[in-house]
Amino acid sequence: MVQELDKDTKLSAQEQSDITLAILSGEQSKSLQLFYNQVLFNTGIRYYLFGVVNDIGEGIEIAKKQLNEQRGLTQLEKWKVSQPENITT
């Protein structure tokens, strides 16, 4: 996956996709730690800002649970099959 993170290196679309799928699949390898933490923090903030939780920490805990349960991956798969190119008549 991502061997060593260099903040000045731009990731390709494929690398970004691979990282996203790995995180949504529950992978927590050291090479993904920065990305994993970023997802947790962003999700925690959004849950707080939208009034789902009382504080960011609570939102982060919910995000951890959801990633561990692969709920994001499940939603992505549902979305993929709902796209017009995947619908057969």
Side-chain angles (χ1 to χ4, degrees):
M1 178 73 44
V2 178
Q3 298 302 325
E4 188 174 319
L5 177 66
D6 176 0
K7 65 179 179 148
D8 297 320
T9 300
K10 292 188 179 194
L11 298 173
S12 69
Q14 184 61 53
E15 289 170 319
Q16 292 177 43
S17 176
D18 292 345
I19 290 167
T20 300
L21 286 174
I23 290 171
L24 291 177
S25 297
E27 186 176 329
Q28 295 181 34
S29 66
K30 186 174 180 176
S31 65
L32 294 176
Q33 195 63 51
L34 177 68
F35 303 107
Y36 177 80
N37 289 343
Q38 204 170 5
V39 169
L40 292 180
F41 187 67
N42 287 338
T43 305
I45 287 174
R46 287 174 189 266
Y47 283 152
Y48 173 71
L49 292 175
F50 289 115
V52 176
V53 296
N54 293 320
D55 60 62
I56 295 169
E58 185 180 354
I60 289 171
E61 290 306 313
I62 291 171
K64 282 181 188 178
K65 182 178 180 198
Q66 290 174 330
L67 286 174
N68 288 336
E69 294 173 352
Q70 298 183 1
R71 289 179 63 193
L73 184 62
T74 300
Q75 287 303 114
L76 176 61
E77 293 302 324
K78 285 180 183 178
W79 175 81
K80 283 171 136 181
V81 298
S82 74
Q83 295 309 292
E85 64 271 8
N86 293 320
I87 297 175
T88 58
T89 56

